[in-house]
Amino acid sequence: MNLPYENATSGDKAIGEIQKMLRAFGCQRFATGEDYETGELFVQFEHHGRQVQLRASAKGYAVAWLRAHPFTSRTRGTRADHEAKALKIGGIAVYSILRDWVKGQVTAIEIGMLTFEAAFLSHILLPNGQTVIEHMHQQKLLPAEVKP
């Protein structure tokens, strides 16, 4: 079974496309980065004074990829090699996922389907550096998640 985006080939190209799209949308600032410890990639931008931070987990994608492509006796290389491959694929895939998600949100805003706030509210940075969604979780403002 193939996992969506597992065959993406260029994280750098996806980053460039995100930047171009956000610039055309009217964003004033743009940055990307990676937290090597957590395996998270992030994109930050500013739109009309609102700072937004989007995060995606390369490690999370790698875990999903390993479920779809488990290590077996037929797998070439060692288990560590296989896991490193999964993380590399995840590091590229998540930028492509972010690109497509941003494209969808920006398009929804441009056609009047969503407001900027509706599209990006949970990712807007507060003055303390937390995103709105992080603050809501910390303050326990959301109902507990019900597991099926």
Side-chain angles (χ1 to χ4, degrees):
M1 176 184 102
N2 284 346
L3 192 61
Y5 298 95
E6 73 177 57
N7 295 316
T9 58
S10 176
D12 291 337
K13 183 177 176 188
I15 292 166
E17 291 172 6
I18 295 168
Q19 184 175 18
K20 182 179 176 182
M21 187 181 346
L22 290 173
R23 181 174 280 163
F25 182 60
C27 293
Q28 294 84 18
R29 293 184 175 90
F30 178 84
T32 62
E34 185 173 348
D35 182 332
Y36 298 118
E37 187 175 319
T38 65
E40 283 188 332
L41 309 170
F42 64 86
V43 171
Q44 292 180 333
F45 62 92
E46 185 175 318
H47 184 265
H48 298 294
R50 292 195 176 104
Q51 293 184 2
V52 175
Q53 179 172 289
L54 308 173
R55 288 190 215 131
S57 174
K59 285 184 179 179
Y61 189 94
V63 168
W65 189 87
L66 288 168
R67 275 195 307 268
H69 304 279
F71 181 81
T72 67
S73 60
R74 295 182 187 190
T75 304
R76 291 185 184 178
T78 65
R79 181 178 298 275
D81 292 339
H82 193 63
E83 290 172 357
K85 177 180 178 181
L87 192 55
K88 182 178 180 184
I89 290 170
I92 295 169
V94 293
Y95 276 121
S96 294
I97 293 165
L98 283 173
R99 177 202 55 221
D100 290 351
W101 186 79
V102 168
K103 183 177 185 178
Q105 298 302 85
V106 167
T107 302
I109 294 165
E110 289 179 339
I111 67 169
M113 185 175 160
L114 293 174
T115 64
F116 179 84
E117 293 79 9
F120 292 109
L121 180 63
S122 62
H123 305 285
I124 292 175
L125 285 171
L126 299 171
N128 67 2
Q130 284 185 310
T131 61
V132 170
I133 195 68
E134 289 168 339
H135 175 76
M136 292 179 72
H137 283 296
Q138 183 182 49
Q139 298 298 315
K140 299 185 183 344
L141 297 174
L142 296 172
E145 186 177 334
V146 178
K147 304 263 180 179

